[in-house]
Amino acid sequence: MGGVGASGARVRVRTGLRGLRPWRLLPSPTGTPFTFGYALVLLVTSLLTEYADPSLISSLHQGSSTDVAHLADRPAFVLVASALWIAGGITSPYAIGFLLVLTALERRIGGLRTAGVFLLGHIVATLATEVPVGLSVLAGHLPGSSLHRLDYGISFGVAASVGALAGLLTPWLRWAVLAAFGWMLVTDLVAFTDPMTNWGHLLALVVGVGTWPLLRRRGRSATA
């Protein structure tokens, strides 16, 4: 009996291993077109950052920055343009997180809703961190140079996507993901190297969690 049970277990393991498709962890043009296309854009801008003239890149980053001055002058443009760059380069944790998290999210809820979650986190966290800067400058608590604080990247959108994806996972994995990612964000905040951005990451994560009821309801409607 023990031999039969062990043999059955080995068969189940082999069957499970054959069912694993690790390539599904990465985006594809047919399975996850939004993530795949966005990743190509980020690859191009990252290569440009690496090999183009530094003065040109600095000018592009400045022009794409979602600082208070740009948000007051051309908000729609900089909110989109700022998300075309990866702060820290293509090997940064948020670049890797972008590929894995958005791929997993898009496979579950589709490209349109994934884009919506990403943009919602990006926009809400950006405005929530920059508007107080503008008000503080008006009140005289910060210098005028704070209106031109360099701010760009995909991290707010990725943080919101992590929060949204967690709600679609099994309970134990959901809370493990939220605990691990939340701990990383809190650690960054305690380090106090860039508190405004760190607060933005936490807020974006909360925004993603706030989408759970909508994403779950639509998921149930899709499977009904």
Side-chain angles (χ1 to χ4, degrees):
M1 290 295 290
V4 173
S7 177
R10 286 194 293 269
V11 169
R12 287 193 296 272
V13 169
R14 287 196 295 268
T15 302
L17 290 175
R18 284 197 298 268
L20 291 176
R21 291 174 288 179
W23 58 87
R24 285 179 61 83
L25 296 174
L26 297 176
S28 66
T30 55
T32 56
F34 167 71
T35 305
F36 184 83
Y38 197 173
L40 288 181
V41 172
L42 292 173
L43 176 62
V44 170
T45 58
S46 296
L47 291 174
L48 186 66
T49 300
E50 183 71 22
Y51 296 108
D53 182 79
S55 62
L56 171 63
I57 298 304
S58 177
S59 176
L60 291 173
H61 284 169
Q62 290 287 348
S64 304
S65 174
T66 48
D67 54 48
V68 177
H70 282 147
L71 285 172
D73 182 46
R74 43 180 182 170
F77 173 79
V78 292
L79 283 169
V80 173
S82 64
L84 301 180
W85 307 91
I86 304 176
I90 200 168
T91 58
S92 74
Y94 281 101
I96 299 169
F98 172 91
L99 287 176
L100 298 178
V101 173
L102 267 75
T103 296
L105 188 60
E106 186 171 357
R107 290 194 186 280
R108 286 165 173 79
I109 65 173
L112 187 60
R113 287 196 286 274
T114 299
V117 168
F118 184 94
L119 287 174
L120 182 65
H122 176 68
I123 292 171
V124 170
T126 296
L127 295 179
T129 52
E130 292 296 342
V131 169
V133 172
L135 295 177
S136 295
V137 171
L138 287 176
H141 299 311
L142 288 176
S145 59
S146 299
L147 298 176
H148 303 278
R149 189 180 77 96
L150 190 62
D151 187 15
Y152 65 90
I154 60 172
S155 60
F156 290 164
V158 172
S161 299
V162 171
L165 177 62
L168 303 175
L169 303 175
T170 57
W172 71 268
L173 186 56
R174 174 188 313 149
W175 300 116
V177 167
L178 287 178
F181 190 67
W183 177 257
M184 183 189 77
L185 298 184
V186 170
T187 301
D188 289 342
L189 182 61
V190 171
F192 214 70
T193 54
D194 189 356
M196 284 187 57
T197 298
N198 298 146
W199 276 116
H201 290 152
L202 284 169
L203 177 59
L205 179 64
V206 172
V207 168
V209 170
T211 65
W212 287 3
L214 181 61
L215 297 181
R216 287 170 176 171
R217 184 163 60 248
R218 289 184 175 179
R220 286 194 297 268
S221 298
T223 57

